[in-house]
Each structure stands twice: as structure tokens, then as C-alpha cells.
Amino acid sequence: FALTSFSQVNTRSGTDFSFAWKNCRKLPRFPLLDVSNGTNFDGAWNECYELTDFPLLDFSSGTNFSDAWNSCKLDQQSVINVLTALNKVPFAQLTSTATRIGTSLGPVSGRNTKTIEAALRGIQAIDTLLNSLGTDGVAGKGWTITFD
């Protein structure tokens, strides 16, 4: 799709955002929307190839984030925003504890690299979600996060 921007829309009542913005290939930034009642974010921003700027959203009702940011180009602050938001989701309500985050931080293919480690060092959200960044990939506390 050729969507490059959109204005503020009322998403407050929305609960299922699965694939809502999938294939918005030219969208560089996502607006600050109220998605606090959203539960399903499966593939929501999947294949948004130009998406670099992503705000800190309230995902506290979320249950599924599978492939939510797959193939995006999120910058460092946007990755921090996503991880911080995911950190606030009550673990017990999740039906899926895996997500894929596309990033402009360099090729990482789901493994611990110096690029990701440097970008996320000191970020409490990643420590809480994963416990540590191990050489066997990013895993811990039940989450699996793959960085593209």
C-alpha cells in the first residue's frame, strides 16, 4: 500500500489489530494512538518496510504480538519504545510470548550481536523481558524476541 501517513483516528474501542497496518510499505512513522484495549496485534505492522519511528503505546491489554513488527526498520528509540511497552503487559495474559522486531540497527537474525547489545544496554525493559542477552539468542522469562 502507498500509505505514507495518516491523521489521528479513534482506535480506543478497537480490540483486534491483527494485520491492521500490514504492508503499509511507505509509512515512515506511526502516530500515537490509543490501543489500550487492543488484545491481538499479530502482524499489525508486518512488512511496513519504511517504518522507523514508533511511539510508546499502551499495549497493557495485549495477548498476542506474533510478528507484530516483522520487516520494519525501527530505529533505536522505537525499539526501546516497543520493549518498554511489552514490558508492561501482564505475562499471565499472553497467548503468545514471541514477537519479531525489524530494526535499522543492523543484521542480527535473532542472535546476540554487539549492535543489539550496545543499543539495548541499560534498558531495564529488555532485562525484565528476557533476563539477559545470551549467546544462544534472546530468551528468558518466557519471551522470544527475534530482531530482523
Side-chain angles (χ1 to χ4, degrees):
F1 298 102
L3 186 67
T4 57
S5 67
F6 61 96
S7 58
Q8 192 71 15
V9 292
N10 185 350
T11 55
R12 185 179 187 129
S13 298
T15 58
D16 189 348
F17 293 101
S18 58
F19 307 103
W21 298 278
K22 182 180 180 183
N23 283 322
C24 289
R25 297 168 187 248
K26 302 287 184 184
L27 186 67
R29 67 184 48 87
F30 194 77
L32 183 62
L33 299 179
D34 184 350
V35 294
S36 60
N37 289 314
T39 57
N40 190 357
F41 294 92
D42 182 18
W45 299 275
N46 190 11
E47 298 176 2
C48 292
Y49 297 117
E50 299 301 317
L51 185 60
T52 58
D53 188 359
F54 197 86
L56 178 60
L57 298 179
D58 180 355
F59 294 129
S60 59
S61 296
T63 61
N64 184 357
F65 298 91
S66 297
D67 291 326
W69 298 273
N70 186 36
S71 300
C72 296
K73 291 183 183 176
L74 299 183
D75 62 23
Q76 181 175 341
Q77 185 58 54
S78 296
V79 170
I80 291 168
N81 290 344
V82 166
L83 295 173
T84 301
L86 291 177
N87 188 32
K88 295 178 182 179
V89 177
F91 187 79
Q93 78 189 21
L94 293 169
T95 59
S96 172
T97 55
T99 193
R100 186 176 291 274
I101 301 173
T103 172
S104 62
L105 302 176
V108 293
S109 301
R111 297 290 175 206
N112 178 20
T113 66
K114 293 183 186 213
T115 304
I116 289 295
E117 190 174 0
L120 300 177
R121 187 178 291 123
I123 307 302
Q124 186 175 7
I126 195 71
D127 288 337
T128 303
L129 284 169
L130 306 175
N131 238 356
S132 67
L133 292 170
T135 55
D136 60 340
V138 286
K141 290 201 173 181
W143 274 93
T144 300
I145 298 177
T146 304
F147 296 99
D148 292 335

